[in-house]
């Protein structure tokens, strides 16, 4: 997180000396400017700002606009270093406007590069790319007024290298590693022609970072595939990741071998090399690199960079193959390393205090506090953590403040101070809420680290609240349940909602928040609709199942089974559902029914519940609830079933059933995508024809007519209540693995679909229903299920119906037709319409009665 040294922004201002004024007539201004530069170079950014602010005022008073502009440049850089990004952006804009008046295109291009770096630090990578080139750049195709376009037109090679480096970093931080590497390689070719070797060293480090970022992503995707049994693909990804690791290591070593490389660049390269050696189980080499870095550290002048380098070295002192775990907020090193860790962190604190740099001091204090937390020395841990909090509060540093508030909560909880711990956790989440979007989208390298760095905060608070309740216990059961005070459990469910929103934003990983629609609580909806809501929350060694009834009463049931056993049971259940070639064995479905439904059977019957809405967590997202079995019948035979990502839901609209306007898109032909063959969907024609018969106002686009451009055209020129897409769709652990297949062997990514639906007339009137048939999510891949769960919300639709696995059969066409027929009937909810459509297959046709044919279809979002 914040204490890790990232490769610094590669700009036209670094590594060159910041420009100084030479106006002999301004007695104090040049001295203030020089003092500011000295403070900046030593890492004392606060005093640099003071000096340059004074110089700026003097130059403005003397109407010396050129030197005033130079001071504004310097101030923007210092604001950026101190995390005052709004001030930095405003100052950049003022300075660029000045140079536009002077028609100084060299300055304009270089400052746009630095302005773009500020946007990247804010996580706004699209804005950065727009300033540097074009939103979707191709080689040598940048608009004339972009930073790269200006540098190329003026043959400003240093400016071009800087723009290329910044452009590559913006793409790297968006997860576009291939594109990033392309830009970095172009920059390296130019940097090698320059006299200043620091440009080449920085570019080499950038290339190394891009390759190891891609390697980490592949390693984690491989782990996800291994968890669901896709070992061949996992092995392929692991080999590719190791290749990237080796490429990254080679770039870092080349940078280190340059004789004129600056010590700071050498230190940065070593800090990147150490975890690479650990990951390759080359602990001896990693330790040697760590020792080299320790030798370089004292040679650096005191600065913020030096503080964070010391913190980084403390994190990396213990050889650990999964080195990314070392940066988890709760990782505890072995006690054998305590003396060295304390030495490095105390050195970091001393340097930060000497610089009056409260930001870096806060991180150093917090990390030392965590070490004492690990050793159960809670008094010292709390004292250091409070000092870290105070420093963060002084500077309004929300990106670190929530870490120390969270750490305070952990320490208080371990000290037995439950209520104080809850208050600290709540404050941490309140702080995090203000910056959560920036954190979860700012660096795509952290997408999988989300579960180590942010998610535990929410789960720990929910568990703490549940643990502090006094529940009536059942004497002869493996669980405990009881009625829970409404106000307290509402806070638990609100915490879980915040977690689920963060998970979805983290999955989609763009600057767009999930579409905000009017909200109403579940109780307000369910009071009039005989609807109960079942929420699950997985907590490691057990899972909470919370029932919310129409009368606003709640009950809780605990599944006293570890997460791994739950995952195995859920995967076994789903695998049995998909295997249509065998007679159906209901035992796995009965096990899950016993855990999730049976404890509430009596109260569900007594309150005449007709619809069950599930708010699922973890592995439960990837399995259908409709096929749970009580030993006599399926759940769908007793209740209509829906799922929603959040406990707080969108306001139920009133359907105008006689005025549906439908856009139906489909693919009947074979397709080949990324060397994978997808068979023809023989019954899509029938599926679309049935829709046209039911909804006269239907526009259909099949095969070659089903393109991204044509879809965009239709959505821009008309407003549709239903968008029905009958084609192969893959939902994977990453958004780039999530796509729909269109005509001409092309794909439409989930991000592109989101952009299309958001930017059209439907944004004014959200789509009522998004229907996706022939979708597929892998067994056991709950991260892929995030994409499926979020597709409706991300795209701004009120509801979605999608399949968890594809059925290449006329059963899909029959189910779809029956669903729409039911939906046209007065007073029929979407959940009831889907229930009756599924029952049609279950009870009217022996061949399609197997759950494989009807169970995969789930209703997501608004069920009314």
């Amino acid at each position: 997180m914040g204490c890790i040294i990232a490769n610094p922004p590669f700009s036209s201002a670094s590594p060159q000396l910041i420009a100084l004024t030479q106006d002999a007539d301004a007695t104090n201004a040049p001295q203030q400017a020089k003092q500011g530069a000295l403070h900046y170079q030593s890492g004392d950014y606060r005093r640099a700002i003071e000096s340059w602010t004074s110089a700026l005022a003097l130059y403005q008073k003397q109407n010396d606009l050129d030197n005033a502009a130079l001071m504004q440049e310097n101030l923007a850089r210092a604001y950026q270093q101190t995390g005052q990004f709004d001030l930095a952006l405003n100052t950049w804009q003022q300075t660029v406007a000045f140079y536009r008046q002077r028609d100084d295109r060299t300055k304009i291009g270089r400052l746009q590069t630095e302005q773009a770096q500020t946007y990247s630090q804010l996580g706004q990578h699209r804005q950065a790319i727009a300033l540097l080139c074009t939103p979707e750049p191709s080689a040598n195709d940048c608009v004339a007024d972009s930073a790269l376009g200006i540098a190329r037109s003026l043959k400003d090679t240093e400016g071009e290298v800087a723009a290329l480096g910044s452009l590559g970093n913006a793409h790297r931080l968006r997860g576009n590693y291939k594109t990033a590497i392309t830009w970095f390689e172009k920059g390296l070719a130019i940097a090698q022609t320059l006299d200043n070797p620091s440009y080449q060293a920085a570019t080499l480090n950038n290339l190394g970072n891009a390759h190891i970022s891609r390697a980490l992503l592949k390693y984690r995707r491989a782990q996800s595939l291994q968890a669901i049994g896709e070992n061949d693909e996992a092995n392929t990804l692991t080999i590719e990741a190791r290749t990237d690791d080796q490429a990254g290591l080679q770039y870092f070593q080349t940078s280190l071998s340059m004789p004129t490389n600056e010590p700071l660049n050498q230190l940065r390269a070593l800090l990147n090399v150490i975890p690479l050696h650990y990951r390759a189980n080359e602990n001896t080499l990693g330790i040697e690199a760590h020792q080299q870095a320790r030798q370089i550290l004292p040679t650096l002048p005191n600065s913020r960079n030096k503080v964070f380098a010391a913190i980084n070295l403390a994190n990396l002192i213990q050889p650990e193959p999964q080195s990314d775990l070392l940066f988890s907020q709760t990782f505890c090193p072995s006690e054998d390393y305590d003396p060295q860790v304390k030495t490095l962190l105390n050195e970091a604190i001393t340097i930060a205090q000497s610089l009056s740099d409260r930001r870096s001091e806060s991180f150093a204090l917090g990390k030392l506090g965590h070490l004492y937390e690990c050793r159960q020395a809670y008094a010292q841990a709390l004292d250091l953590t409070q000092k870290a909090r105070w420093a963060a509060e002084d500077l309004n540093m929300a990106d670190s403040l929530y870490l120390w508030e969270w750490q305070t909560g952990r320490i208080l909880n371990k000290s037995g101070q439950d209520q104080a711990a809850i208050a600290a956790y709540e404050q941490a989440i309140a702080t995090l809420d203000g910056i959560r979007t920036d954190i979860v989208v700012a660096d795509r390298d952290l997408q999988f680290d989300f579960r180590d760095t942010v998610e535990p905060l929410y789960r720990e608070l929910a568990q703490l609240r549940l643990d502090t309740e006094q529940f009536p216990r059942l004497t002869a059961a493996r669980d405990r349940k009881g009625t829970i005070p409404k106000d307290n459990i509402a806070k638990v469910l609100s915490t879980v909602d915040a977690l689920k929103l963060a998970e979805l934003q983290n999955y989609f990983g763009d600057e767009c928040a999930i579409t905000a629609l009017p909200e109403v609580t579940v109780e307000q909806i369910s009071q009039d609709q005989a609807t109960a809501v079942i929420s699950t929350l997985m907590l490691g060694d057990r899972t909470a199942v919370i029932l919310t009834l129409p009368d606003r009463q709640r009950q809780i049931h605990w599944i006293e089974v570890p997460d791994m056993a739950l995952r195995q049971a859920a995967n076994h259940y789903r695998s049995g559902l998909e295997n249509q070639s065998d007679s159906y064995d209901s035992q796995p479905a009965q096990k899950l029914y016993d855990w999730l439904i049976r404890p509430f059977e009596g109260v569900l019957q007594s309150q005449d519940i007709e619809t069950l809405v599930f708010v699922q967590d973890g592995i439960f997202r990837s399995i259908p609830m409709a096929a749970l079995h009580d030993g006599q019948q399926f759940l769908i035979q007793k209740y209509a079933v829906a799922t929603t990502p959040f406990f707080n839901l969108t306001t139920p609209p009133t359907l105008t059933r006689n005025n549906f306007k439908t856009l139906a898109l489909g693919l009947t032909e074979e397709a080949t995508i990324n060397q994978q063959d997808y068979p023809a969907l023989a019954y899509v024609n029938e599926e679309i024809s049935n829709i046209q018969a039911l909804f006269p106002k239907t526009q259909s686009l099949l095969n070659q007519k089903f393109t991204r451009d044509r879809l965009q055209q239709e959505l821009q020129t008309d407003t549709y209540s239903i968008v029905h897409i009958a084609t192969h769709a893959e939902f994977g652990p990453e958004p780039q693995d999530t796509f729909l297949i269109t005509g001409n062997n092309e794909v439409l990514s989930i991000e592109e679909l989101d952009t299309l639906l958001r930017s059209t007339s439907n944004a004014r009137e959200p789509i009522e229903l998004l229907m996706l048939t022939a979708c597929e999510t892998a067994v056991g891949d709950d991260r892929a299920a995030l994409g499926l769960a979020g597709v409706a919300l991300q795209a701004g639709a009120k509801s979605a119906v999608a399949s968890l696995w594809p059925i290449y059969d006329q059963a899909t066409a029959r189910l779809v037709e029956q669903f729409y027929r039911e939906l046209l009937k007065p007073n029929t909810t979407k959940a009831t319409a889907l229930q009756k459509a599924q029952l049609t297959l279950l009870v009217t046709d022996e061949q399609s009665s197997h759950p494989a044919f009807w169970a995969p279809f789930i209703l997501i979002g608004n069920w009314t």
Side-chain angles (χ1 to χ4, degrees), residues 522-588:
V522 168
E523 293 97 324
Q524 290 171 306
I525 295 176
S526 61
Q527 271 186 308
D528 301 325
Q529 297 178 358
T531 299
V533 181
I534 295 177
S535 305
T536 54
L537 177 62
M538 300 179 70
L539 296 170
D541 59 347
R542 59 180 179 159
T543 293
V545 187
I546 302 170
L547 172 70
T548 300
L549 296 163
D551 62 2
R552 304 192 182 195
Q553 292 297 309
R554 294 191 176 93
Q555 291 186 0
I556 187 169
H557 163 73
W558 288 96
I559 305 174
E560 302 286 356
V561 174
D563 285 359
M564 183 57 69
L566 273 183
R567 175 178 286 275
Q568 291 172 348
N571 288 342
H572 187 204
Y573 161 68
R574 183 172 151 173
S575 296
L577 294 178
E578 289 191 49
N579 192 357
Q580 55 186 288
S581 62
D582 294 338
S583 59
Y584 181 64
D585 177 8
S586 67
Q587 289 302 312

Side-chain angles (χ1 to χ4, degrees), residues 848-859:
S848 62
S849 64
H850 193 290
F853 294 94
W854 53 263
F857 293 93
I858 61 173
L859 172 63

Side-chain angles (χ1 to χ4, degrees), residues 159-425:
E160 185 175 0
V161 173
L164 287 166
S166 297
L167 187 57
N169 272 324
H171 281 287
R172 180 181 69 83
L173 293 171
R174 291 198 71 209
N176 300 327
Y177 302 122
K178 183 178 180 180
T179 302
I181 289 169
T182 298
W183 290 118
F184 288 144
E185 287 174 343
K186 291 178 182 292
L188 181 61
I190 300 171
Q192 289 170 336
T193 68
L194 299 177
D195 292 334
N196 191 332
S198 294
Y199 280 98
Q200 185 177 344
T203 308
L204 288 165
N205 283 344
N206 280 333
L207 275 163
N209 278 327
H211 278 282
I212 62 173
S213 294
R214 188 166 67 178
L216 282 172
L217 178 63
K218 289 178 179 178
Y219 281 126
R220 289 160 183 163
R221 290 172 68 186
Q223 291 171 3
S224 181
L225 288 166
Q226 285 174 339
I228 60 177
E230 297 288 344
N231 293 324
D232 289 343
E233 190 173 349
N235 289 337
T236 299
L237 280 172
T238 300
I239 292 170
E240 292 177 2
R242 288 172 181 162
T243 301
D244 269 320
D245 266 351
Q246 287 301 313
L249 182 61
Q250 183 62 48
Y251 283 120
F252 292 134
Q253 289 175 335
T254 302
S255 174
L256 286 168
S257 67
M258 296 178 64
T260 54
N261 198 1
E262 296 178 348
L264 183 57
N265 274 336
Q266 292 179 358
L267 182 60
R268 288 185 177 123
L270 287 167
L271 288 170
N272 285 313
V273 163
I274 294 166
L276 283 176
H277 286 311
Y278 289 168
R279 189 155 61 240
N281 291 314
E282 299 169 347
N283 289 349
T284 300
L285 293 175
I287 293 169
E288 288 176 359
H290 195 282
Q291 291 171 344
Q292 291 177 43
R294 288 285 299 272
Q295 291 171 358
I296 293 174
L297 188 67
T299 69
L300 298 176
N302 287 350
S303 67
R304 172 176 292 181
N305 282 328
K306 187 173 182 179
V307 174
F308 284 131
I311 295 171
N312 231 359
L313 286 168
N315 281 332
L316 289 168
I317 208 161
Q318 177 174 323
E320 172 62 51
Q322 297 297 326
S323 56
D324 49 315
L325 294 178
L326 297 173
F327 298 104
S328 167
Q329 299 307 313
T330 55
F331 177 81
C332 290
S334 167
E335 291 186 44
D336 295 341
Y337 297 97
D338 278 8
Q340 297 178 68
V341 172
K342 288 179 181 178
T343 297
L344 284 164
L345 293 178
N346 280 314
E347 181 181 356
I349 292 169
T350 299
I351 296 170
Q353 290 174 343
S354 72
L355 297 171
S356 299
D357 186 343
R358 297 283 279 164
R359 179 175 178 82
S360 58
E361 180 187 5
S362 175
F363 279 108
L365 287 165
K367 294 301 291 186
L368 186 57
H370 175 57
L371 183 65
Y372 281 102
E373 176 194 356
C374 291
R375 304 300 169 243
Q376 301 179 12
Y378 297 129
Q380 296 104 310
L382 192 60
D383 178 62
L384 288 162
T385 304
Q386 287 175 334
K387 290 177 180 177
R389 288 177 63 187
W390 294 332
E393 286 171 348
D394 286 348
L395 295 176
N396 194 26
M397 291 163 33
D399 62 330
S400 63
L401 179 58
Y402 89 92
L403 295 175
W404 315 136
E405 290 166 339
W406 175 13
Q407 189 161 293
T408 299
R410 294 197 308 269
I411 295 168
L412 291 171
N413 182 27
K414 293 169 184 174
S415 303
Q417 302 178 58
D418 292 344
Q419 294 306 313
I422 288 172
Y425 269 99

